Amino acid sequence: MSTLSQLEAAVLAGDEQAAPRLIEQGLAGGLSAKQLLDEGLIAGMSEVGRRFRDGEYYLPEVLVAADALKAALARLQPHLVAQGVRPEATAVIGTVRGDLHDIGKNLAATMLQGAGFEVVDLGVDVPAEKFVAACQQQPVQVIGLSALLTTTMPAMEMIVQAVRTSVRPAPYIIVGGAPLTQAFADRIGADGYGRDAATGADLARRWCARR
Ligand code: B1M
């Protein structure tokens, strides 16, 4: 089994020890940081997303895979920088104002990272102004909004309106969270509905590829 296949398998198995070790092994064996990212980590996390969407993986398996991905990315990051590999696009993500739930948002952030995005995580209880400010500090291609309370869903519409009014070029806005539906996403003018974290990352990746 090649190092890249082993790395993909380590992410799938959520092996937090093996994943960073395989990064070192790959680099020592002459693989580039970009290969390790694209053909090992992103490949592994895409498959995790597919299995989660298809009901083959449950939340605990996704969470341990996310930990393995993070451990490997931390080891790979300095090499990506040294080899001049820049993320294709930036995503800003946060749980909307009034809402403190962050498990789904963190998962969505990890899936976006696993899809090759640089992710700016604004945390929880984030007002519209903070999303707008983050988009003014750097070019942002994707915004991810999370809400778990029916009482905080209206905050999403305010954020969509604020971003549409003040950010150019317009980022692609994805909304997600248990109480949401596609119809709600359409009604508030969001571009996409992330039924789950993997779908959110897929939508973001497809939109960036079309640009
Ligand atoms: Co809260 N809570 N909670 N809670 N909580 C719910 C949401 C609730 C449904 C429980 C219930 O009553 N049955 C209910 C909401 C009812 C409603 O609004 N209709 C509720 C309530 C009422 C509250 C409080 C008001 C309780 C109180 O204090 N009286 C309070 C609110 C605090 C606040 O936010 N202001 C509260 C507090 C809490 C805790 C702090 C205790 C804790 C949060 C801990 C944390 O997040 N760090 C908590 C929890 C854990 C839950 C439940 C049990 C689990 C939520 C969760 O993490 N799910 C929840 C009940 C339930 O859902 N069974 C509940 C797992 C997570 C992976 O799913 O976030 O949907 P989810 O994310 C999914 C997708 O939605 C999607 O991807 C993820 C999976 O792939 N997704 C995105 C989400 N965001 C995305 C963004 C994207 C893309 C996809 O962008 C790209």
Side-chain angles (χ1 to χ4, degrees), residues 163-175:
V163 169
R164 296 275 184 253
T165 311
S166 17
V167 183
R168 295 284 177 280
Y172 183 81
I173 304 180
I174 305 173
V175 294

Side-chain angles (χ1 to χ4, degrees), residues 52 59 62-63 93-95 98-109 111-112 124 142-152 156 174-180 193-201 204:
F52 184 49
L59 195 53
V62 180
L63 291 175
I93 192 162
T95 303
D99 203 319
L100 303 176
H101 295 85
D102 68 357
I103 298 169
K105 182 267 294 169
N106 292 344
L107 217 48
M111 284 293 179
L112 284 165
V124 297
V142 172
I143 292 186
L145 305 177
S146 188
L148 264 287
L149 299 172
T150 44
T151 49
T152 56
M156 290 183 144
I174 305 173
V175 294
L180 273 64
Y193 164 53
R195 177 170 53 85
D196 53 51
T199 304

Side-chain angles (χ1 to χ4, degrees), residues 10 19 27 49 62 109 127 131 164 186:
L27 290 166
V62 180
F131 283 99
R164 296 275 184 253
D186 294 342

